[in-house]
Amino acid sequence: MIMPNNLGRQYNLHAKEYEQKAIEVLRSGWYILGNEVKMFEKEWADYVGSKYCVGLASGLDALWMSFKILGIGQGDEVIVCSNSYIACVMGITMNGATPVFVEPDEYDNIDADKIESAITNKTKAILAVHLYGTACNMTKVIKIAKAYNLRVVEDCAQSHGNHWEGKTVGTFGDIGCFSFYPSKGCGAFGDAGCIVTDNEELADKFKVFRNYGSRVRYQNEVVGTNSRLDELQAGLLRVKMKHLDEFNSERCKIAEHYNREIINPRIRLPKIRPGADSSWHQYVVHVSGCRDEFAEFLRKHDIGTIIHYPIPPHLSDAYKYLGYKKGDFPIAEQYADEVLSLPMYNGMTEEEQSYVIEKINAFVPEEA
Ligand SMILES: *Cc1c(COP(=O)(O)O)cnc(C)c1O
């Protein structure tokens, strides 16, 4: 069986290094907010090209804490793409703010030309989600944000080390949010996340907020939360990030192989926005009219795939209260019916890639 993702393969590429670091941290006797977190924060900020990084417990925490710290909540609106992962929307609504959806373009993330018409006098921010490992048009997003005095938060959970016009994502807006969930580009071995920012005051607020609102033990300045990146994950992330560029270029090679050799009129290959690169967090094809049949065909040939994502947030049960119905965001709804993520992971052999390509090219739908 060829799995859509295979984290064990990636682990095996550098198993000894992770194991050594894990033992080092375990034996250190210090497990929360210590030297590993401090070093990771410095190294990740340097890697991204930001002044500050604050380690947190997850990507969702990075998102909701960002809006909280920016003072965005009840009565405020935040613009987000209609085909995003639901965590993006929860990051907005956990603070009581309202998501305002904007449809994606042919590059699978927000259509910046449609942002302006979604702005109202309640709009406070744009959440730019760099979905599938490739950047939004940040030139346009930033231009609109400046014109309307909006905050920009970037969700870089799927785009570790990606660029827009040569600059790393996460450095365009007020805050860049990262998830280090195991399947992400620089994945931890459990839950983890962080924010990056050039704003010292914001960075300081995150540091206090993540630790019960406390800077000095037992003195609490604000009602904060517990969202601390732990030493073990930070140590392991320090090992993993050394290999991130190598992981990204390996996935680029696999994507190039797919791009070059998948030839099937029913399968629309992913498009990368001019000005953006891709780390191929997902290799997402569009299959109009017969996606499920295609997935089933591959499954029968022992090839696993995933749908990112089958239900757009506005149609999710969780967001019934927003009052949307089918047809409100037709492009996101269409994408939910036609996208499929092909197997893509570090350590995927050429043989596996060729097998996947061969089967995809052999697919012919049973016409009704
Ligand atoms: C994974 C992901 C998140 C959430 O990250 P967690 O660490 O799982 O909380 C948010 N946004 C996007 C786009 C993601 O892919």
Side-chain angles (χ1 to χ4, degrees):
M1 180 79 190
I2 298 178
M3 318 247 278
N5 195 0
N6 189 330
L7 295 175
R9 289 283 183 84
Q10 194 197 48
Y11 177 72
N12 287 332
L13 296 174
H14 308 97
K16 276 239 156 60
E17 293 174 46
Y18 302 125
E19 287 161 16
Q20 256 168 14
K21 178 56 87 175
I23 287 173
E24 186 191 320
V25 177
L26 290 173
R27 289 179 180 167
S28 75
W30 194 283
Y31 307 117
I32 294 284
L33 297 185
N35 201 47
E36 294 292 343
V37 169
K38 208 174 279 167
M39 294 301 290
F40 173 72
E41 288 174 339
K42 188 184 174 324
E43 289 161 7
W44 190 258
D46 286 349
Y47 178 80
V48 174
S50 278
K51 283 198 190 139
Y52 308 99
C53 167
V54 181
L56 303 170
S58 74
L60 177 63
D61 281 1
L63 290 168
W64 77 259
M65 287 168 69
S66 290
F67 294 114
K68 174 92 186 165
I69 283 169
L70 290 172
I72 295 168
Q74 198 75 45
D76 298 330
E77 293 177 356
V78 177
I79 288 173
V80 64
C81 55
S82 53
N83 65 326
S84 80
Y85 180 46
I86 201 152
C88 309
V89 185
M90 290 191 181
I92 296 167
T93 59
M94 277 172 77
N95 293 292
T98 303
V100 172
F101 299 108
V102 169
E103 294 269 54
D105 57 21
E106 63 189 303
Y107 305 106
D108 294 328
N109 53 36
I110 198 162
D111 185 343
D113 291 331
K114 292 185 180 151
I115 292 176
E116 243 176 311
S117 58
I119 293 174
T120 72
N121 57 5
K122 293 180 181 163
T123 310
K124 291 288 176 343
I126 301 169
L127 175 58
V129 186
H130 307 296
L131 211 57
Y132 303 153
T134 189
C136 304
N137 185 330
M138 289 312 289
T139 309
K140 284 189 183 167
V141 169
I142 295 296
K143 198 172 160 211
I144 295 165
K146 282 214 169 109
Y148 291 87
N149 194 24
L150 305 176
R151 300 292 202 150
V152 174
V153 176
E154 294 178 74
D155 183 338
C156 312
Q158 303 191 2
S159 294
H160 299 181
N162 280 122
H163 305 85
W164 169 250
E165 296 188 336
K167 195 169 179 275
T168 310
V169 299
T171 61
F172 290 87
D174 297 279
I175 301 168
C177 297
F178 289 86
S179 162
F180 302 114
Y181 182 79
S183 67
K184 307 292 159 97
C186 186
F189 296 81
D191 276 310
C194 79
I195 62 95
V196 297
T197 182
D198 280 345
N199 183 321
E200 188 178 5
E201 200 186 322
L202 284 178
D204 184 65
K205 282 187 176 164
F206 277 100
K207 281 200 172 161
V208 171
F209 197 83
R210 74 172 169 189
N211 194 26
Y212 298 112
S214 153
R215 191 187 309 272
V216 177
R217 189 177 290 193
Y218 305 133
Q219 293 183 25
N220 303 81
E221 301 170 19
V222 291
V223 181
T225 188
N226 173 358
S227 181
R228 299 172 299 216
L229 176 60
D230 67 70
E231 287 285 286
L232 191 57
Q233 297 305 338
L236 293 168
L237 282 169
R238 289 182 67 203
V239 174
K240 204 158 216 191
M241 68 173 287
K242 284 190 207 138
H243 302 293
L244 179 54
D245 286 339
E246 160 195 335
F247 289 149
N248 284 351
S249 60
E250 185 189 358
R251 279 199 306 278
C252 281
K253 287 220 179 73
I254 300 169
E256 278 163 23
H257 193 184
Y258 281 166
N259 287 341
R260 203 169 53 238
E261 294 190 14
I262 296 176
I263 300 166
N264 184 324
R266 302 309 297 251
I267 314 301
R268 200 212 91 187
L269 301 184
K271 295 183 187 174
I272 303 303
R273 190 187 305 281
D277 57 8
S278 182
S279 56
W280 300 100
H281 176 67
Q282 303 297 346
Y283 188 95
V284 179
V285 296
H286 287 244
V287 189
S288 177
C290 53
R291 189 264 320 272
D292 294 342
E293 188 187 340
F294 176 57
E296 179 56 20
F297 172 87
L298 294 180
R299 199 197 58 75
K300 278 196 186 129
H301 289 97
D302 284 329
I303 298 167
T305 55
I306 316 189
I307 300 167
H308 296 101
Y309 300 91
I311 303 170
H314 72 279
L315 296 181
S316 162
D317 283 345
Y319 287 115
K320 264 195 187 134
Y321 74 88
L322 292 173
Y324 289 112
K325 59 184 187 314
K326 214 170 157 72
D328 285 342
F329 298 98
I331 300 177
E333 291 165 23
Q334 181 197 329
Y335 285 11
D337 287 339
E338 65 182 32
V339 294
L340 195 69
S341 304
L342 301 183
M344 170 61 75
Y345 49 86
N346 294 109
M348 187 180 191
T349 65
E350 288 242 353
E351 213 178 2
E352 288 171 328
Q353 295 163 39
S354 296
Y355 177 75
V356 171
I357 292 164
E358 181 199 317
K359 291 304 165 201
I360 290 173
N361 290 346
F363 171 70
V364 183
E366 279 179 34
E367 302 291 348

